[in-house]
């Protein structure tokens, strides 16, 4: 596992900036999700913000995301949480072949999820460091990313810890 006392800021490569521009375009994001992540498209996931350091993804409470308890189904919450760290991972893998895979998931639910829920992951620097180490050594690296979901009042509804594995391809 990649650990470090002080993680340097994420590098903002031209490839990462181009990825952010593409993924920030609502039409291009919808087309990408329709082609590659159809359930995320149907659930209404949106990228609110993406920088080299963090990403925020929203999931709405609506007919397709609800459960019988009048809140957002946990699978839809986990999809948004995973996407917050996933787009950071995709951004930092630009410019070279790196495989990425979710290898672990842990979740804590603290409040009923209703309305628009925003999941934020601030693990961009740690992801970038793990990918750089994998590229340098050719060995796999893992990072436990935290995605925190908050409601419109700012209250935490869920915290997900998603373990990503990265391995540079030769």
């Amino acid at each position: 596992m990649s650990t470090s006392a002080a993680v340097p800021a994420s590098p903002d490569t031209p490839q990462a900036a181009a990825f952010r521009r593409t993924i920030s375009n609502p039409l291009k994001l919808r087309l990408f999700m329709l082609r590659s992540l159809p359930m995320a498209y149907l659930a209404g996931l949106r990228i609110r913000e993406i920088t080299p350091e963090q990403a925020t993804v929203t999931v709405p409470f609506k007919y397709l995301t609800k459960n019988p308890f009048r809140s957002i189904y946990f699978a839809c919450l986990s999809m948004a949480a995973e996407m917050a760290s996933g787009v950071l991972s995709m951004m930092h893998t630009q410019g070279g072949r790196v495989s990425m895979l979710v290898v672990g998931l842990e979740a804590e639910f603290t409040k009923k999820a209703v309305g628009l829920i925003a999941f934020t992951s601030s693990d961009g620097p740690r992801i970038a460091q793990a990918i750089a180490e994998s590229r340098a050594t050719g060995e796999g690296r893992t990072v436990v990313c935290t995605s925190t979901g908050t409601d419109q009042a700012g209250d935490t509804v869920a915290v997900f810890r998603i373990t990503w594995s990265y391995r540079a391809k030769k």
Side-chain angles (χ1 to χ4, degrees), residues 26-119:
L27 178 61
K28 289 180 180 179
L29 174 63
R30 285 187 182 100
L31 289 173
F32 167 75
M33 287 196 308
L34 189 59
R35 183 180 49 111
S36 301
L37 300 166
M39 291 309 299
Y41 175 82
L42 291 174
L45 270 59
R46 298 289 180 263
I47 297 174
R48 179 188 290 170
E49 173 192 27
I50 183 167
T51 68
E53 290 77 31
Q54 76 175 29
T56 301
V57 174
T58 60
V59 59
F61 175 71
K62 64 181 193 172
Y63 178 75
L64 290 175
T65 62
K66 70 178 182 154
N67 64 26
F69 310 107
R70 292 183 299 247
S71 62
I72 299 176
Y73 183 49
F74 83 94
C76 295
L77 295 173
S78 63
M79 194 170 20
E82 185 267 347
M83 190 172 181
S85 59
V87 296
L88 286 172
S89 297
M90 289 175 69
M91 177 182 60
H92 288 295
T93 61
Q94 300 299 304
R97 295 181 44 187
V98 177
S99 64
M100 50 187 260
L101 182 66
V102 172
V103 295
L105 174 73
E106 182 184 328
E108 295 174 29
F109 302 94
T110 55
K111 185 179 177 190
K112 196 172 190 175
V114 294
L116 186 68
I117 307 300
F119 280 91

